[in-house]
Amino acid sequence: MSADSTGLTTVPAIRALPKAEVHVHLEGAIELADLLEAAREARVRLPGPAATLFDVASHDDPPHPSPLSAFLRFLDWEGALFSSAEQLERLAYRFAARQSASGIVYADVIVNPAHWPSWRSDPAALFDALGAGFDAAAADGLCRVRTCASILRTWDAATAEDLVSAVVARRPRALVGVSVDGDERVSGRTGGRFRGAFQAAGRAGLRRTAHAGESSGPEGVRDAIDLLGAERIDHGVRAVEDPRLVDRLADEQIAVGVCPTSNLALGLFRRLEDHPVDALARAGVRVTVNTDDPAALGTRLEAEWALCAAAFGWDDARILRLARDSHLASFATDDERASALARLQEREEAAA
């Protein structure tokens, strides 16, 4: 196939493909209208003008040492606006609706209780309320969404293990896995610290993913695999610096959840053409392209795919592979994955 024959590299065509998204944070996907509504309900002043609310650096006082650290503090502010289960259910439903508008039929969404102060003492209740909204959305035919409970990289081992214990004991609806996120540059290597928490999650049947290879180098990716048992790597782009690690990712089919616009925004790469997403895919790594924090970054999944297609000359076959790999990398059930792949096959046959 080629881009000229079916045009699968355009934004409308990509939107029409049944896709999965595996690296997106709920905290970074809350739209401006939802934040303004929640701020009014909480009677909380905005940290800056509404029109530039996502320009975190413009209202970060005192300044933080890195753009990511400043952004994480902004997430703390917005998470504090949501104190009722009803608000969380509404937020979850709207997230699923926006995913559906991008042609996403399944999503693993990352949620870090550290950013939700009203729920830190009972994280299982946070995930249960979100799960109720996601289940309601699925019942209405919208995107199926499941959550990954994320450990903040600056936590100690006991706090991480407490989170895992809490969600394992209650097993909130829609919870599928655990994650770890935060600023690698500030916290350094943390694989050993969270090994116990991830092992407990694995024993309980939860899936495991981890942020690594973003501001850390290849060693962060190796730690995530060897110490945390990560089945998928969020970001993982700096694995490209170690050819042996790239071969391992390809051989073991450990997917990477790449977020090009996010990486450019944080200055990891100067231009999209410099980004290693294409090199990783050509090396046989199961690459997925995702949004990370779509509201804050002003992006949508179909736009991310189209940008990569234009930058790297991806044709229709490459886009279809990207769609297939998105489902293979997801934590969907076997039946959900098979159904999505069958729909994708039908789309491919219709375009042939």
Side-chain angles (χ1 to χ4, degrees):
M1 291 186 199
S2 69
D4 293 335
S5 63
T6 60
L8 293 182
T9 61
T10 66
V11 166
I14 292 169
R15 185 183 298 123
L17 291 175
K19 302 174 293 299
E21 183 165 25
V22 301
H23 184 176
V24 57
H25 298 259
L26 182 63
E27 297 90 354
I30 304 175
E31 295 287 343
L32 178 60
D34 296 320
L35 288 177
L36 297 179
E37 177 185 67
R40 284 197 303 271
E41 291 175 349
R43 298 183 179 181
V44 170
R45 292 181 60 183
L46 302 181
T52 59
L53 194 60
F54 293 125
D55 296 335
V56 176
S58 67
H59 52 74
D60 188 45
D61 183 25
H64 260 243
S66 74
L68 181 54
S69 293
F71 181 61
L72 294 174
R73 189 165 76 171
F74 174 73
L75 298 185
D76 292 339
W77 172 82
E78 67 170 27
L81 302 176
F82 299 89
S83 58
S84 73
E86 292 75 15
Q87 285 178 304
L88 295 180
E89 290 175 25
R90 186 168 66 234
L91 192 67
Y93 190 99
R94 291 174 178 175
F95 172 84
R98 287 192 296 272
Q99 296 292 93
S100 295
S102 289
I104 301 165
V105 299
Y106 178 89
D108 291 323
V109 65
I110 301 161
V111 182
N112 193 318
H115 299 308
W116 306 81
S118 295
W119 307 89
R120 287 174 189 157
S121 63
D122 191 3
L126 166 70
F127 288 99
D128 211 35
L130 292 172
F134 291 138
D135 285 351
D140 286 345
L142 298 175
C143 174
R144 164 61 72 181
V145 182
R146 291 196 175 88
T147 55
C148 292
S150 199
I151 294 163
L152 189 62
R153 198 174 294 276
T154 54
W155 283 355
D156 58 27
T159 303
E161 290 166 13
D162 285 346
L163 171 62
V164 172
S165 295
V167 297
V168 165
R170 294 261 293 276
R171 210 50 179 262
R173 66 178 80 187
L175 183 77
V176 71
V178 295
S179 174
V180 58
D181 63 4
D183 194 335
E184 294 176 277
R185 184 180 291 111
V186 171
S187 58
R189 297 174 75 167
T190 56
R193 187 191 310 164
F194 301 132
R195 190 173 191 172
F198 270 69
Q199 287 177 337
R203 288 194 297 270
L206 292 175
R207 310 297 297 271
R208 290 156 291 171
T209 184
H211 281 55
E214 181 188 22
S215 50
S216 71
E219 72 281 356
V221 178
R222 284 193 295 270
D223 284 354
I225 298 169
D226 294 333
L227 300 180
L228 302 181
E231 305 164 75
R232 189 175 68 216
I233 304 296
D234 296 325
H235 292 301
V237 289
R238 291 189 58 191
V240 77
E241 299 169 16
D242 183 343
R244 292 179 61 186
L245 178 58
V246 172
D247 289 343
R248 181 182 180 187
L249 292 172
D251 292 344
E252 298 181 20
Q253 287 296 278
I254 300 172
V256 292
V258 177
C259 306
T261 292
S262 175
N263 293 160
L264 294 179
L266 291 179
L268 269 67
F269 308 100
R270 188 172 63 87
R271 307 176 307 151
L272 183 55
E273 289 78 6
D274 300 328
H275 197 284
V277 59
D278 186 58
L280 289 168
R282 290 180 182 276
V285 177
R286 180 169 286 162
V287 167
T288 68
V289 172
N290 309 269
T291 60
D292 203 2
D293 300 293
L297 294 169
T299 191
R300 300 291 290 268
L301 190 62
E302 60 270 37
E304 293 291 307
W305 288 28
L307 286 171
C308 288
F312 303 113
W314 290 353
D315 61 8
D316 291 5
R318 182 67 192 86
I319 291 296
L320 287 168
R321 176 185 163 191
L322 191 64
R324 284 193 295 272
D325 282 348
S326 73
H327 294 293
L328 293 172
S330 79
F331 294 157
T333 65
D334 290 343
D335 287 346
E336 289 167 341
R337 185 179 298 106
S339 175
L341 290 173
R343 289 177 57 186
L344 189 61
Q345 181 68 26
E346 291 173 1
R347 178 67 180 84
E348 185 173 357
E349 291 172 354

